[in-house]
Amino acid sequence: LKLQFLYLIGVCLHTMIARLALLSLLSGAAGLPVPTPQQLAWQTEGIMALVHFNMATFVRDGDPGCSVSSWNQGINCSNPAVFNPAKLNVTQWVDSMKALGIKHSVLTAKHGCGFLLWDTKTSLPDGTPYGYAVKRPDRASFPRDVIVEYVAAMKANGIGVGFYYSTGNNFYLNRVGFKPAVGTPLPGMGRVTDEQYLQLVLAHVTELWTSYGPLAEVWFDHGYSDAIKDNITALLKEHQGAAAGFNGFGVAQSPVRWVGTESGTPTYPVWSTTDAHGAQAGGTGAADGEYFVPAAADTTLQAGDHWFFEDGLAIRSLKELIAVYHASVGQNCVLELDFAIDKTGNVHPTHAARYAEFGAWITACYGAPLATSAGAPLTLPAGKPADRFVLREDQTTGQRVRTYSVTCDGVAVAAGSSVGAKRIHLLSAPCSGTLAVAVTGVDPVLVEFSAFAPCPSA
């Protein structure tokens, strides 16, 4: 009996090892790119907060928000004291984030005007302090370090932090798209050569990436200059190796990509994989893409693609946000939803109410399934029909599902291709019987098949 028991153990171990070897072989043979643990964790979050709050809040929405017509005339935004959120309360931002179940956020530490939200210790080439930021030692400016307060409030509430830093635009240093914004620098601009400009970029991101602990995500708007690519790569690897890098393909260890539209409603299917061009330029990806670079769908709450707060702008309706949710989170994207902080330094009351309404809808609609499994058929409770289902696949060894099909009592009711982190499929008519799913692909494994009751679409 002892020998038989040992024999059975040996057979089980041999089978397990063979199975793991087969998975590895299939992955290698199929050329499937494999995600990092950080990319997988990032994909599961569903919604994050992309917080826009900087000098443009007080000038105009734009990148850069500052311009020749506003720099030394009109609002005179060359004066750092123009940034003056008198009732700044970062903890108030958290309330709206919690209402949406947000696990991490990213703040515009520096946007196109060149204004810094932290008490930088960097200097211009002539040795004078960088003059366009909070807490300036040599001129009137906002007396509080916004980054310190942001990080403290997020960490106190279990929300991860991240920083947006626009490497190509800095109106204060006379740069737009890494090139001079105006021929002759305006009064109040810092004067730098191209090399000096890039060295300041490195000095700024070094402060951001070394002073506030681990970051959940770093944002490279406008990408990065090839002249400092190696420096950026080394800095990230040493100090923020676990951070997801938006537009960070080529420099970040866990890059994520733009889905190719700021509407929040990308075209299905959206794949976790893409080619090198898509990883850098954005897009919905490809099933046979050679790189695992999952997609982010960034979009605004304010209507008309306005990222920074402007008085009187309409905000998107709950019905529009529901469509965004299904087209982003429901199509294998992370929804990077804008938080346009107002001039007082708070989430505007009308925005806060819409975030709360949106979060309540998500919970009511998708908080409790009627039935759930890891791929087995779902028999719905009597008298409780379903008109939608959720699929999630195991992407540990790559995105493997290529197609799925669903039947209700044996009749085909739905079909699609990409699943990835999450796929939400709305049926054309409710099902009251048994839902069954079938998938094809390279040894695909589902980890969730759930059915949900009809819910209002506003």
Side-chain angles (χ1 to χ4, degrees), residues 262-308:
E262 293 184 351
S263 66
T265 55
T267 303
Y268 181 81
V270 178
W271 298 93
S272 297
T273 51
T274 185
D275 58 18
H277 174 76
Q280 293 176 317
T284 55
D288 59 352
E290 57 184 314
Y291 300 101
F292 195 102
V293 185
D298 58 329
T299 197
T300 62
L301 178 66
Q302 296 179 121
D305 199 34
H306 288 285
W307 292 92
F308 283 93

Side-chain angles (χ1 to χ4, degrees), residues 107-275:
L107 174 62
T108 50
K110 186 201 75 68
H111 203 258
C113 285
F115 188 82
L116 310 184
L117 294 184
W118 73 97
D119 182 14
T120 181
K121 306 305 179 187
T122 57
S123 299
L124 297 179
D126 64 6
T128 59
Y130 188 93
Y132 204 50
V134 299
K135 299 190 71 172
R136 291 303 75 212
D138 57 348
R139 65 195 67 188
S141 54
F142 189 65
R144 294 158 60 183
D145 189 317
V146 179
I147 295 292
V148 166
E149 295 186 26
Y150 159 73
V151 171
M154 297 299 124
K155 289 186 175 180
N157 288 277
I159 298 174
V161 299
F163 299 131
Y164 169 120
Y165 183 97
S166 173
T167 59
N169 288 359
N170 187 321
F171 198 78
Y172 168 64
L173 295 181
N174 191 26
R175 293 296 187 281
V176 172
F178 296 101
K179 297 178 181 179
V182 295
T184 301
L186 302 173
M189 283 183 165
R191 293 173 178 261
V192 294
T193 65
D194 288 346
E195 182 179 355
Q196 290 167 340
Y197 173 75
L198 294 177
Q199 289 307 307
L200 271 170
V201 168
L202 291 173
H204 288 164
V205 297
T206 298
E207 286 186 332
L208 287 172
W209 298 345
T210 62
S211 303
Y212 305 101
L215 302 177
E217 184 173 345
V218 294
W219 246 74
F220 292 98
D221 208 0
H222 305 285
Y224 48 83
S225 168
D226 285 341
I228 55 172
K229 178 180 179 180
D230 291 345
N231 307 77
I232 293 284
T233 303
L235 280 170
L236 277 176
K237 184 175 181 180
E238 180 178 0
H239 302 292
Q240 298 294 342
F246 182 92
N247 278 348
F249 181 74
V251 293
Q253 293 179 294
S254 297
V256 300
R257 76 181 192 273
W258 182 46
V259 77
T261 176
E262 293 184 351
S263 66
T265 55
T267 303
Y268 181 81
V270 178
W271 298 93
S272 297
T273 51
T274 185
D275 58 18

Side-chain angles (χ1 to χ4, degrees), residues 310-326:
E310 288 195 356
D311 291 313
L313 281 181
I315 60 173
R316 294 163 87 172
S317 66
L318 177 60
K319 183 175 183 179
E320 289 175 292
L321 292 177
I322 290 171
V324 165
Y325 184 82
H326 286 140

